[in-house]
Amino acid sequence: MKRLPIPDDVTGDEIDKDVRQELQSLPKGLAEEVSRNLVMVARLIDEDPEGAYAYSRIALRLASRVAAVREAAGFAAYANQKFSEALAEFRAARRMTGSVELWPVMADCERGLGRPEKALEMAGAPEVQKLDKASQVEMRLVAAGARRDMDQLDAAIVTLQSPELASNSVQPWSARLRYAYADALLAAGREGEAREWFAKAVESDKDGSTDASDRLAEMDGVEFVDAFAEDEDDEDAERAQVTVSEEAGTRVPADDDDADDDADDVELADVATDDVDDDIDGGDLQDDQDDEDDDLDDEDDDLDDEDGDDSTGDAPVRPQS
């Protein structure tokens, strides 16, 4: 099986202690390798979801019987909108642990697969009562999204109305809940209320998890100027001046920066050539992944035999727009 490079500063000790405890069932060397791949999944999943997915496949091939690995693979697939695959991994993790904490994201996978009715059914299931407060709020967000998928905008607004929304205290879920409510109000044409709730979302969004500030500014008619675009316009104007001068028979001396730009173009061409070589090498990784998928399917069949048939089959992946 082909491995991916992992920086030397990644030791594997960065993972959560509960995950580390799960990996104790593996030989020490294998546990370390799996943990380092899981660290890479967590490190890349927001900025480079495709890279995170590649590392998750390696961890999955090495330790498919570890629930934390199945969960990580599920989130990596989810980040890449591979909803059918994500749902299968989340179901496998749930069978192994018996936990309901993945229930909201499983319901959101149903939305991703074009089955909002199934997501709403899960929102009303007994499992929701076993969730902690944060997960219950997440389930409410998923249910509201399902209502909007079904063009039930008023029902989506009502779904989001809750004690958590009305509370003045700021919780980890406050920004996303207020943002979703503001967005639903705006879609319903209730602009005044929407602006109020976007402002509340901004107040609670300390880590910038939403674009509430941009949405609020847009409603207020604020226009943002792209400084990089202005620089490019200035460069285009300079080049046009050189062209006109050449046609007139008097060439304007080029700046040293132009020579530097030419050198950069050469370097970029070299990089592009390297990228083509990397793409060719990537074919080997795809072949390895296909083999891994076959092995994992066999192992999932074993899990189903051991645990019983408690889940439905995977649905076709939603077509990408």
Side-chain angles (χ1 to χ4, degrees), residues 35-48:
S35 64
R36 294 183 73 204
N37 278 280
L38 292 180
V39 171
M40 293 303 297
V41 173
R43 178 178 289 189
L44 297 175
I45 196 165
D46 291 329
E47 301 298 330
D48 181 13

Side-chain angles (χ1 to χ4, degrees), residues 129-140:
Q129 303 305 317
K130 301 176 184 178
L131 296 171
D132 59 22
K133 180 63 67 176
S135 295
Q136 287 183 356
V137 171
E138 192 66 31
M139 191 72 249
R140 187 178 293 275

Side-chain angles (χ1 to χ4, degrees), residues 12 27 40 56 62 68 73 77 79 84 99 124 134 146 180 191 203 241 244 250 253 266 281 286 309:
M40 293 303 297
S56 76
L62 293 170
S84 181
S99 172
E191 295 186 5
E203 293 175 0
Q241 180 181 358
V244 171
T250 305
V266 174
D281 294 338
Q286 180 63 48
D309 186 14

Side-chain angles (χ1 to χ4, degrees), residues 199-219:
K200 291 182 178 181
V202 171
E203 293 175 0
S204 56
D205 193 2
K206 305 302 182 183
D207 57 358
S209 61
T210 73
D211 65 345
S213 60
D214 292 343
R215 298 290 297 277
L216 185 61
E218 182 181 348
M219 294 189 71

